[in-house]
Structure formats: C-alpha cells, structure tokens
Amino acid sequence: KAGVTQTPRYLIKTRGQQVTLSCSPISGHRSVSWYQQTPGQGLQFLFEYFSETQRNKGNFPGRFSGRQFSNSRSEMNVSTLELGDSALYLCASSWTGGNQPQHFGDGTRLSIL
Amino acid sequence: AQRVTQPEKLLSVFKGAPVELKCNYSYSGSPELFWYVQYSRQRLQLLLRHISRESIKGFTADLNKGETSFHLKKPFAQEEDSAMYYCALKYIFGTGTRLKVLA
C-alpha cells in the first residue's frame, strides 16, 4: 500500500507570493492533517480535514488555508508569503483522526527568499 | 491549554543501558497520547500509543494521569535506537528528544 505522498518535495518562493502544497493520503484514510516544522518551533499543527471539512485548527493566521477533495486528497495554501514561512510542511493521514495513529509523508521543504 | 513538554533535547546513553525519554502533558480531558520516532533519513512514524499498551522494539510507555506523564522506556538501549523521538497529545507535538546510543 502506497504511503502518504506530498508534492512538490522542494519549493522556492519570494515574499508576497502564494503557494499550494499537495498531499495524497494512504488509500482509505479520510483524515488529513498538516503541520509546519521549523528548528525553532518544532512541529506545529496547522489544521485537520475529514470528509472535506476542516475539523480542527491550530493557531496560524488566515494566510494559511486548506481544503480536502472527495477522494481525500488535500491541498494547503499559503498566501502573501513571509520569510518566516520557510519550513518543512508535513502532511499526515489516518483512518478517522482522533485517537488513530498518523502516517506522515516526507514533507515539502518551502524556502522563502 | 493543551501542551506537551519534552524537557531533554538530547539524551546520550551507552549501549545496554536503560533509557527513559520524558514526556509531560497538559490536558483537562482524557488524553490521547502517542510516541513517534524519526530515524535518520526516514519519515516520522508511530512508535506506540497509550491505548494499545503494547511494547514496540522493546519500548514501553505508561500513562500516569496523576503526574500527567507518558515517559518512554527501554531496559537495554541498542545502537539502532538512535533517533529523534516525539511525544504527541493527539495533534500537539513536543519539541522532541534526540537519543544517541553510544557503542
């Protein structure tokens, strides 16, 4: 069974631009969560989607948004990029979320110039 | 507020020595706690979760609600245990502890 797939693996953007990251969960998994990982802050929860609805949200500004499609694939969008948005963005999927273990992708490394 | 604290950034032990990676949490309800591990050049992966009460790769973790702790333990460390370990309360992750097992 294929694991969680994130594309692209690397991305370079400049301040003010916007970016869209994609995540394909493990087949059958309906919950997709997104995290931002930085050396200073560690892994920080962005949001979780389940059945095309945002079910949980972390403490990130509205510039960070996401969506989930009917096939459970998810996209994350960041608008008006700032230098501080440079990070590894991880996606994780699980059957239903909650107390289910999460399966992580390799991440998308976003660099802002 | 929900919080997970891993007080040690780095823990170095000798091969064959016992290991204890500390994790304390702050949560008012019934916690859903996990330990994840990231080996060098690999994805973050689940090690164990408190509801299953199982031992994985010789590691165990016991939930202590009184002390709000979920420490990860292994009686005899092996070199292949060297990795980054994260404690998580559902979607809230600790900052991680890097375990180095010395030969």
Side-chain angles (χ1 to χ4, degrees), chain A residues 4-17:
Chain A
V4 177
T5 304
Q6 291 188 247
T7 56
R9 290 294 309 278
Y10 302 93
L11 210 46
I12 299 175
K13 293 286 186 179
T14 56
R15 281 186 301 172
Q17 287 186 310

Side-chain angles (χ1 to χ4, degrees), chain B residues 10 37 39 41-42 46 49 58 65-66 72-74 77-78 83-84 92 96 101 103:
Chain B
L10 173 65
V37 60
Y39 301 102
R41 298 189 189 87
Q42 291 188 29
L46 176 73
R49 49 179 170 160
K65 290 188 177 181
L72 184 68
K73 300 178 183 179
K74 184 169 183 176
Q78 299 173 336
M84 193 75 180
I92 308 301
V101 181

Side-chain angles (χ1 to χ4, degrees), chain A residues 1-5 24-30 72 93-95 103-104:
Chain A
K1 186 156 74 167
V4 177
T5 304
S24 293
I26 290 172
S27 178
H29 285 192
R30 294 166 61 193
S72 293
S93 75
S94 66
W95 291 106
H103 299 260
F104 284 83

Side-chain angles (χ1 to χ4, degrees), chain B residues 7-64:
Chain B
E8 303 138 330
K9 281 190 174 181
L10 173 65
L11 183 64
S12 296
V13 300
F14 284 101
K15 178 181 171 182
V19 174
E20 183 180 51
L21 300 172
K22 290 183 167 50
C23 172
N24 288 88
Y25 66 91
S26 173
Y27 184 63
S28 56
S30 185
E32 296 163 6
L33 288 156
F34 305 83
W35 275 99
Y36 288 87
V37 60
Q38 188 166 29
Y39 301 102
S40 179
R41 298 189 189 87
Q42 291 188 29
R43 300 180 175 191
L44 196 58
Q45 58 187 281
L46 176 73
L47 182 61
L48 51 80
R49 49 179 170 160
H50 89 274
I51 61 170
S52 59
R53 302 183 63 83
E54 56 193 345
S55 173
I56 304 293
K57 299 184 179 183
F59 285 96
T60 58
D62 290 319
L63 175 60
N64 186 322

Side-chain angles (χ1 to χ4, degrees), chain A residues 41-79:
Chain A
Q41 300 295 321
L43 269 159
Q44 290 189 287
F45 174 65
L46 281 153
F47 31 64
E48 183 223 1
Y49 283 84
F50 179 77
S51 291
E52 302 178 65
T53 301
Q54 188 181 89
R55 187 164 64 173
N56 291 286
K57 189 177 186 303
N59 295 321
F60 277 80
R63 299 185 298 108
F64 292 82
S65 63
R67 59 177 174 169
Q68 186 179 33
F69 302 94
S70 58
N71 61 358
S72 293
R73 189 178 72 85
S74 177
E75 289 183 345
M76 190 191 90
N77 185 274
V78 188
S79 62

